[in-house]
Amino acid sequence: MSETAARRRATMVEVAHAAGVSVMTVSYTYGRPERVSADTRARVREAAERLGYPGPHPGARSLRRGRTGTLGVVLGEHLTYAFDDPQATRFLSGVAGVCADHGMALTLVPITGGPSDVDRVTEAAVDGFVVWTTADDDPVIDAIAATGLPAVVHGGPRRDGLSFVAVDDRAAAEAVGREVFAGARRPAVLSFPLDRDRISTVTFGAATAGTVPGAASGIDPDATTAGAASGIDPDAATFRVTRRRLLGFRDAWAKAGGEWSQVRVAVCSINSAREAEALAAELLTGPDACDAIAAMGDELALGTLRTAARLGFAVPGDVTVSGWDDTDAAAPAGLTTVAQSLRDQGARCARIALGRLTSTDRDAEVAWNLVRRASTRRSQRRRAQP
Amino acid sequence: MSETAARRRATMVEVAHAAGVSVMTVSYTYGRPERVSADTRARVREAAERLGYPGPHPGARSLRRGRTGTLGVVLGEHLTYAFDDPQATRFLSGVAGVCADHGMALTLVPITGGPSDVDRVTEAAVDGFVVWTTADDDPVIDAIAATGLPAVVHGGPRRDGLSFVAVDDRAAAEAVGREVFAGARRPAVLSFPLDRDRISTVTFGAATAGTVPGAASGIDPDATTAGAASGIDPDAATFRVTRRRLLGFRDAWAKAGGEWSQVRVAVCSINSAREAEALAAELLTGPDACDAIAAMGDELALGTLRTAARLGFAVPGDVTVSGWDDTDAAAPAGLTTVAQSLRDQGARCARIALGRLTSTDRDAEVAWNLVRRASTRRSQRRRAQP
DNA sequence: CTGTTAGCGCGTTCAT
DNA sequence: ATGAACGCGCTAACAG
């Protein structure tokens, strides 16, 4: 029982017939009730009820009207990241808020990492796209541009014809990097994935930028191997956000007089505290244990703090730690971090994609600021912000 | 620059014309490439490229084919809950996983709590619906049933014609309730909202079931007031999950020889650790501080644990605490809880709504089990599970 | 392998 | 206030 197999819908013609009116009268009854006399309206409603007519077919209606009433969201990751990745979740909450305000639905396009992802994008019946951080070489970007629909990319890549929303990750990374690396001797970066391969590694910065063969592509497997062997070249990272943050951290360490090749870089494959705990354990083990860890997300930083506590490291005495995002958990944990609102950025993206923001507003910079707390050593000092 | 206003799409006829072939040849080139000679295919592709044709119009295609390629999800809450509520997020991750497996998109229908929500459901172009816990009196349920599309309700309400997925909340609540209330003298329940009004209160169980006027409706404002004054009547809760868990906790306390009117009930308005901390503070303050708190979610329980720690209460010495869901944070916190996988249940709902589960499978019970940990006193003993 | 026919269900346009 | 015609853009079904 309670069989839910789709039964055939009644159509407008049938309702019109049953009510003894024309099809248009039925259409008006639903779309513009005021243009139909109360009497006929009642007759139509009654006939509809009797036939189990559920109202105008949404697909047919949208074909005719030329809009679908839903905003497409494309992730650079498997669809489940929308609900599993804490940063994506905050961002999408902002998108969802704006959608709800405008009565628009939110369609998550099913990305799996496979080659057919492009087709899924092409087949999505939506009025616009919001793209959540993807790699420079992701083919769905071109597919989205080809639809001609309004589209906004968050985080990267930049592309002509698509709007773009992101903070200045490089500047923010330099700011927090200078904070967390202050007085450090063995700095480390706990990084997001470099490219869509999402390989987890722990290695050092490339000795010299440019010495890594094939560094620019990030696709050539040999290049990847070479990169892992001889160090991380920020420019080889095809995720723009990761790349810019690596560059910013490199800048910060350079300002302190250091070489990028001294910086250990642990790359996690997903943004989870659990994986961070494991990688942090590597960074904090052995005679060369790191004494400063800049993480690209608060979740990673919190995992790092837990590992530090477990291994008996004092923070910031033995090791300093910084995060990114200033999530709710950051303040209680005393975590120095970059404050930015992914929720606001999501809302902003949605507004742009729905055509609710003028083009002058659109390219405005997105705000961020450094929040100094107890997990870094200079937290007591008040310093002007760059 | 980078103007993204929607420009007119080229159509198939235009491409056919430009390529010097019939419309069907263009259609086949996209839908069934193998039926077209490599030569014509190339000509068509080339013409399409030249005209900027982005491929078949998704709306038109779906109208013709009779399916949309997307699964609708309806929340009993504002759309943003999909990303803000940790339980909803886990559930939706399961839904998303199945969608991705089948190349289906996931459309979140924009629920705002307003009266137009029904129209939004009716206008959603989807192939089926998954409904996440809503109130018995929510009108969208009827609207969904009226579409005739396959639909599954998670948590409640039950309705003829719609599939239903949920654990036996009452039995599970009784099981964990007996554990957490064991040896207690002043038990409390930290509850999810009772109905769509989401009023936050702290009060006692109704002295006697049935003495609360209008208890069955939950809509009548007088009844609500009376209910708040004279106590919580589980049967008045219109969220089925909440109702069944309250009943189960009442059962558990009754088995211990207690009266429902002795049980303090704190109702939170949203499922967040932060609100739980505040309510737990109320429960743990004053001369009648509670000594056993059964929470309806792990997040609520973890907030409770934090407050207990802050106020200097030993767990389980001074107060026992239980949660629900066995989330990742439960084990490290030593939290006794009901283990169930919302992710699995989400996947199950999606499969049903997509017609991938036989009707015999569909009504199978969903698994749960009690996990005893250090936050309750009987955690050492091994007892047979009911 | 390619073309022809005939709609999918509705809403804009123009008439009455 | 109501109706008739037409087409939104595409594809199943059947030729040829």
Side-chain angles (χ1 to χ4, degrees), chain B residues 326-348:
Chain B
D326 196 22
T327 55
D328 288 347
L335 183 65
T336 290
T337 189
V338 172
Q340 66 167 341
S341 172
L342 286 172
R343 192 171 272 107
D344 290 350
Q345 290 169 36
R348 180 187 183 77

Side-chain angles (χ1 to χ4, degrees), chain B:
Chain B
M1 62 183 58
S2 80
E3 200 53 55
T4 55
R7 58 175 191 266
R8 203 187 78 76
R9 296 171 59 110
T11 75
M12 246 184 202
V13 233
E14 292 164 1
V15 175
H17 210 79
V21 296
S22 87
V23 186
M24 271 322 294
T25 304
V26 180
S27 177
Y28 283 146
T29 303
Y30 285 92
R32 308 178 149 189
E34 70 280 3
R35 293 204 182 173
V36 180
S37 72
D39 187 46
T40 15
R41 208 188 312 161
R43 268 219 319 284
V44 170
R45 292 279 185 199
E46 184 274 327
E49 179 94 8
R50 189 151 39 83
L51 297 180
Y53 177 70
H57 181 118
R61 166 176 271 183
S62 94
L63 175 60
R64 186 61 243 238
R65 298 225 251 227
R67 50 203 170 68
T68 63
T70 184
L71 179 66
V73 170
V74 179
L75 308 175
E77 311 295 341
H78 190 273
L79 185 59
T80 52
Y81 272 65
F83 303 102
D84 293 341
D85 182 297
Q87 296 192 331
T89 299
R90 290 192 289 274
F91 176 81
L92 290 170
S93 174
V95 175
V98 172
C99 284
D101 289 346
H102 296 292
M104 300 280 295
L106 193 169
T107 295
L108 293 163
V109 178
I111 296 298
T112 63
S116 61
D117 288 342
V118 174
D119 300 336
R120 304 281 163 50
V121 167
T122 307
E123 287 181 17
V126 300
D127 291 334
F129 285 103
V130 170
V131 182
W132 163 254
T133 302
T134 189
D136 297 342
D137 56 356
D138 192 329
V140 307
I141 289 287
D142 281 338
I144 288 170
T147 65
L149 294 171
V152 194
V153 178
H154 180 267
R158 305 197 75 143
R159 186 192 190 285
D160 225 57
L162 307 187
S163 296
F164 177 74
V165 169
V167 300
D168 186 339
D169 284 287
R170 184 168 185 171
E174 183 184 335
V176 69
R178 292 176 73 162
E179 179 73 18
V180 67
F181 292 158
R185 296 195 308 164
R186 289 177 304 279
V189 172
L190 189 43
S191 171
F192 287 155
L194 306 177
D195 51 43
R196 299 170 75 205
D197 291 341
R198 318 195 132 262
I199 292 166
S200 170
T201 60
V202 181
T203 176
F204 283 90
T208 312
T211 57
V212 181
S217 94
I219 299 172
D220 180 354
D222 292 329
T224 302
T225 308
S230 59
I232 299 288
D233 175 8
D235 287 314
T238 57
F239 283 122
R240 185 179 188 274
V241 170
T242 304
R243 181 172 65 243
R244 303 267 304 169
R245 292 187 187 176
L246 286 174
L247 289 169
F249 289 134
R250 188 178 73 181
D251 294 344
W253 184 239
K255 285 268 166 61
E259 294 265 327
W260 179 236
S261 60
Q262 301 168 321
V263 180
R264 213 168 312 182
V265 181
V267 180
C268 61
S269 60
I270 61 167
N271 176 24
S272 86
R274 188 161 294 194
E275 185 168 357
E277 288 181 33
L279 289 173
E282 280 199 60
L283 294 176
L284 293 174
T285 303
D288 296 331
C290 296
D291 57 3
I293 301 179
M296 289 198 190
D298 281 355
E299 284 79 10
L300 302 182
L302 293 168
T304 302
L305 288 178
R306 278 203 288 279
T307 292
R310 181 169 61 78
L311 299 181
F313 285 81
V315 175
D318 299 325
V319 57
T320 57
V321 177
S322 71
W324 200 295
D325 283 341
D326 196 22
T327 55
D328 288 347
L335 183 65
T336 290
T337 189
V338 172
Q340 66 167 341
S341 172
L342 286 172
R343 192 171 272 107
D344 290 350
Q345 290 169 36
R348 180 187 183 77
C349 287
R351 280 197 204 92
I352 296 172
L354 294 176
R356 305 284 164 169
L357 232 50
T358 69
S359 54
T360 44
D361 289 334
R362 284 197 329 217
D363 293 318
E365 283 288 309
V366 177
W368 61 271
N369 65 284
L370 177 59
V371 179
R372 293 190 179 82
R373 295 209 182 90
S375 69
T376 51
R377 295 197 192 91
R378 306 202 298 194
S379 57
Q380 319 305 343
R381 294 199 219 155
R382 291 264 165 267
R383 302 178 77 243
Q385 211 192 283

Side-chain angles (χ1 to χ4, degrees), chain A residues 39 166 218 243 319 327:
Chain A
D39 187 45
R243 181 172 67 242
V319 57
T327 55

Side-chain angles (χ1 to χ4, degrees), chain A residues 22 24-25 36-37 40 64:
Chain A
S22 85
M24 273 325 295
T25 304
V36 179
S37 71
T40 17
R64 189 61 244 238

Side-chain angles (χ1 to χ4, degrees), chain A residues 169-244:
Chain A
D169 284 287
R170 184 168 184 169
E174 183 184 333
V176 70
R178 293 176 74 161
E179 179 72 18
V180 67
F181 292 158
R185 297 196 307 166
R186 289 178 303 278
V189 172
L190 188 43
S191 172
F192 287 155
L194 307 177
D195 51 43
R196 299 169 76 206
D197 291 342
R198 319 195 133 262
I199 293 167
S200 171
T201 59
V202 181
T203 175
F204 283 90
T208 312
T211 57
V212 182
S217 94
I219 299 172
D220 179 356
D222 292 330
T224 303
T225 308
S230 59
I232 299 289
D233 175 9
D235 287 314
T238 57
F239 282 123
R240 184 179 189 275
V241 170
T242 304
R243 181 172 67 242
R244 303 268 304 168

